[in-house]
Amino acid sequence: MTAPLTIAIDGPAASGKGTISRRVAAHYGLRHLDTGLLYRGVAALVRERGVDAQDAEAVGAIAAGMNEAVLARSDLRDGGIGNIASVVASHPPVRAALLQWQRDFAQGGAVLDGRDIGTVVLPDASAKLFVTADADVRAARRWRELSKTEDISYRRVLDDIEERDRRDSGRSTAPMSHAADADLLDTSEMTIEDAVTEALRLIESRLG
Ligand code: CDP
């Protein structure tokens, strides 16, 4: 029996990994899970219920009780949620509660994008990419999206991205890192079309 096709796509905020992942999933006819939404969902519940985001146990209990309906909330992409998400994502009980959910989703084949997919969630993925771009390029991309609906400065978006990069790479449990067997894709100077083409080329050469 051949193993199901699983593709792990990791990288920092606004690197292009979300768009690339959706397009890669469509190309191979696979389901796609944006795992950041799980952490954003926990963050939204934490904010709504007035729970202290630093309280690992209380936030872990919220993560354990999460359901799919939370992922459909319209506020998960708000500017403030990303930062709370990166705080709640640093707690081991939160990561433990969400790990099986992600693995179950990948059964039978899928594309998952996040921070620790190639290293922790799917270490045996068929192909892995680490998608990155310079922080100022990523901040400009994210600012263009957010400023359509929020009054937010470029400087604040850049500070937020840099703070999250530090927290996501520096935490002790499942830090964001480039898996040894992941191909690096730097999208700083690429259009999204070029990045998708290059991602598919790298994945094809891994699948051999
Ligand atoms: O879209 P963006 O890249 O800004 O963020 P996201 O992928 O939605 O993730 C939000 C936050 O969730 C990140 O800053 C991480 O702290 C956390 N996260 C994580 O720890 N592990 C994942 N697999 C995915 C997201």
Side-chain angles (χ1 to χ4, degrees):
M1 206 176 81
T2 48
L5 181 60
T6 50
I7 300 175
I9 303 187
D10 289 304
S15 55
K17 67 183 189 310
T19 306
I20 291 171
S21 301
R22 279 191 297 279
R23 297 275 299 270
V24 166
H27 179 85
Y28 290 105
L30 295 170
R31 298 194 306 147
H32 167 232
L33 179 64
D34 169 358
T35 65
L37 280 186
L38 303 176
Y39 297 93
R40 286 174 179 268
V42 174
L45 293 174
V46 161
R47 184 169 72 175
E48 189 171 88
R49 297 177 190 173
V51 169
D52 177 4
Q54 305 284 354
D55 183 339
E57 213 175 303
V59 181
I62 289 181
M66 270 265 290
N67 59 54
E68 217 142 316
V70 177
L71 306 186
R73 287 174 62 132
S74 60
D75 60 348
L76 300 188
R77 296 260 163 230
D78 288 2
I81 288 281
N83 224 316
I84 306 173
S86 93
V87 174
V88 304
S90 67
H91 302 317
V94 173
R95 305 205 73 86
L98 300 178
L99 182 60
Q100 200 55 45
W101 183 334
Q102 297 170 75
R103 287 189 177 153
D104 289 346
F105 185 95
Q107 288 277 330
V111 178
L112 267 61
D113 80 80
R115 301 291 189 286
D116 62 337
I117 309 303
T119 50
V120 174
V121 179
L122 302 174
D124 298 323
S126 325
K128 301 178 184 179
L129 294 179
F130 191 84
V131 182
T132 190
D134 298 338
D136 55 335
V137 173
R138 292 188 284 119
R141 289 175 184 163
R142 185 51 52 90
W143 179 78
R144 271 197 301 275
E145 285 165 23
L146 290 175
S147 61
K148 288 180 193 155
T149 53
E150 289 179 39
D151 181 18
I152 191 163
S153 70
Y154 165 79
R155 185 71 234 178
R156 221 189 104 204
V157 175
L158 177 62
D159 288 347
D160 176 83
I161 278 188
E162 289 180 335
E163 188 184 337
R164 275 209 285 149
D165 284 356
R166 271 194 300 278
R167 200 182 291 122
D168 291 346
S169 317
R171 68 183 174 224
S172 49
T173 307
M176 172 172 71
S177 74
H178 179 175
D181 53 351
D183 289 309
L184 180 69
L185 176 56
D186 186 332
T187 68
S188 302
E189 301 195 347
M190 289 183 178
T191 63
I192 194 63
E193 288 307 320
D194 292 344
V196 170
T197 304
E198 182 59 7
L200 288 170
R201 191 189 69 74
L202 290 168
I203 292 167
E204 278 297 304
S205 70
R206 281 282 169 178
L207 299 180

